[in-house]
């Protein structure tokens, strides 16, 4: 990344890029914020469609967006019921849970060295001394069913609830013009991509602009190894040819990854 100032494109939803953006600018990066998705609280026909956590032994939130959406659905006066455990995939979501419901305790999530996924959460659930009988999983309009399948396989009743929805974000004319100019100049950028849905959205928009080959030539900061195959599928190539850098999804880890790219 020697020579001209390096360029980073941050694709997390609006409001999620601020700290990383400021950190990278201080380090000399040119940073363009370009959310791949918009996140909205899922519409609920009536209050009866919102599951009450008190009826479950465990509530699992797949992301911070799940916490935000469920908080909005339940309303500001909701108090987390004592005795109902909470699970999530990492410390950022755990912090969001604590802020939303200070009475929630014993939040289960993988330690810092583990991946932020259901597979890493599963051993913690297996180690619980109190058997689970009913589990609520709060997520978007779709997602992986790995955890629900594992729980069902143990005879545990599982309800999957949609608290938010992902919608492809509209890119401004300025963003499109900027991407075209970078592509015309064969300028390489480093993309921050943090979800399979986000990768698909970015790929589809760039394909419609005829910029997929330029996208493929860039570098990519991904927050889970599973995203490598998603990216390869989107660009229509072999993952071995992609310039991928893996890191955990917390902001300091992402910034460190960009530091290492700059240093390399």
């Amino acid at each position: 990344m020697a020579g001209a100032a390096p360029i980073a494109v941050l694709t997390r939803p609006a409001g999620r890029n601020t700290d990383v953006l400021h950190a990278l600018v201080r380090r000399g990066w040119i940073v363009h914020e370009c959310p791949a998705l918009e996140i909205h609280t899922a519409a609920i026909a009536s209050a009866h469609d919102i599951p009450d956590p008190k009826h479950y032994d465990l509530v699992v939130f797949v992301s911070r967006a799940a916490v935000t959406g469920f908080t909005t659905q339940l309303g500001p006066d909701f108090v987390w019921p004592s005795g109902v455990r909470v699970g999530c995939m990492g410390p950022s979501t755990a912090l969001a849970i604590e802020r939303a419901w200070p009475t929630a305790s014993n939040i289960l999530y993988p330690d810092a060295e583990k991946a932020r996924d259901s597979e890493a959460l599963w051993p913690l659930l297996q180690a619980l001394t109190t058997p689970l009988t009913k589990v609520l999983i709060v997520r978007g309009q779709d997602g992986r069913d790995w955890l629900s399948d594992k729980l069902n396989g143990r005879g545990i009743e599982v309800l999957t609830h949609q608290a938010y929805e992902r919608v492809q974000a509209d890119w401004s004319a300025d963003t499109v013009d900027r991407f075209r100019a970078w592509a015309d100049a064969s300028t390489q950028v480093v993309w921050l991509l943090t979800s399979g849905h986000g990768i698909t959205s970015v790929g589809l928009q760039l394909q419609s602009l005829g910029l997929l080959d330029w996208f493929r030539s860039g570098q990519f900061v991904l927050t889970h190894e599973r995203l490598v195959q998603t990216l390869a599928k989107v660009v229509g190539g072999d993952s071995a040819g992609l310039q991928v850098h893996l890191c955990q999804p917390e902001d300091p880890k992402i910034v460190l990854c960009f530091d290492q790219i700059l240093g390399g």
Side-chain angles (χ1 to χ4, degrees):
M1 301 299 293
I7 300 173
V9 177
L10 309 182
T11 68
R12 291 191 293 183
R16 292 281 307 281
N17 297 299
T18 304
D19 290 345
V20 171
L21 185 153
H22 289 161
L24 294 184
V25 168
R26 288 195 297 269
R27 287 160 167 78
W29 289 79
I30 295 172
V31 183
H32 184 64
E33 184 178 14
C34 177
L37 302 168
E38 295 178 0
I39 305 297
H40 304 287
T41 298
I44 297 295
S46 73
H48 297 292
D49 296 323
I50 306 172
D52 191 329
K54 72 181 180 183
H55 297 309
Y56 298 86
D57 307 307
L58 171 73
V59 179
V60 176
F61 293 92
V62 303
S63 65
R64 281 180 281 181
V67 177
T68 301
F70 203 44
T71 302
T72 302
Q73 290 177 341
L74 290 172
D77 298 326
F78 183 83
V79 177
W80 196 264
S82 62
V84 177
R85 289 185 175 273
V86 185
C88 61
M89 310 311 173
S92 297
T93 304
L95 181 59
I97 294 167
E98 292 171 353
R99 288 173 174 170
W101 303 290
T103 56
S105 60
N106 299 322
I107 301 174
L108 301 171
Y109 60 91
D111 64 39
E113 302 306 316
K114 301 293 185 180
R116 308 293 191 253
D117 57 22
S118 298
E119 287 86 342
L121 178 63
W122 179 243
L124 303 182
L125 303 185
Q126 289 181 297
L128 292 173
T129 55
T130 303
L132 298 172
T133 60
K134 294 183 65 177
V135 173
L136 173 65
I137 298 177
V138 183
R139 67 179 193 183
Q141 67 264 49
D142 54 23
R144 297 177 67 223
D145 293 320
W146 188 92
L147 183 58
S148 60
D149 289 344
K150 294 290 284 188
L151 292 167
N152 281 323
R154 294 295 182 93
I156 298 168
E157 181 182 342
V158 180
L159 175 67
T160 300
H161 173 68
Q162 181 187 352
Y164 67 98
E165 63 177 342
R166 314 171 196 86
V167 179
Q168 181 171 290
D170 292 327
W171 288 351
S172 68
D174 175 71
T175 290
V176 171
D177 290 344
R178 186 172 309 199
F179 287 169
R180 289 191 187 279
W182 285 340
D184 289 342
S186 298
T187 301
Q188 187 183 76
V189 305
V190 182
W191 300 79
L192 173 62
L193 301 166
T194 60
S195 74
H197 292 87
I199 291 173
T200 300
S201 175
V202 169
L204 288 173
Q205 298 213 60
L206 290 174
Q207 183 179 37
S208 71
L209 296 171
L211 301 179
L212 201 57
D213 287 342
W214 167 70
F215 178 58
R216 186 186 297 111
S217 70
Q219 296 193 54
F220 306 95
V221 173
L222 307 181
T223 54
H224 197 288
E225 61 183 1
R226 190 179 299 113
L227 299 179
V228 177
Q229 292 304 318
T230 303
L231 177 61
K233 182 178 179 180
V234 165
V235 300
D238 188 339
S239 62
L242 297 174
Q243 300 182 72
V244 169
H245 310 269
L246 295 175
C247 68
Q248 293 176 329
E250 288 74 41
D251 288 353
K253 299 291 187 181
I254 292 172
V255 173
L256 177 60
C257 190
F258 276 90
D259 283 344
Q260 293 169 341
I261 294 172
L262 192 60

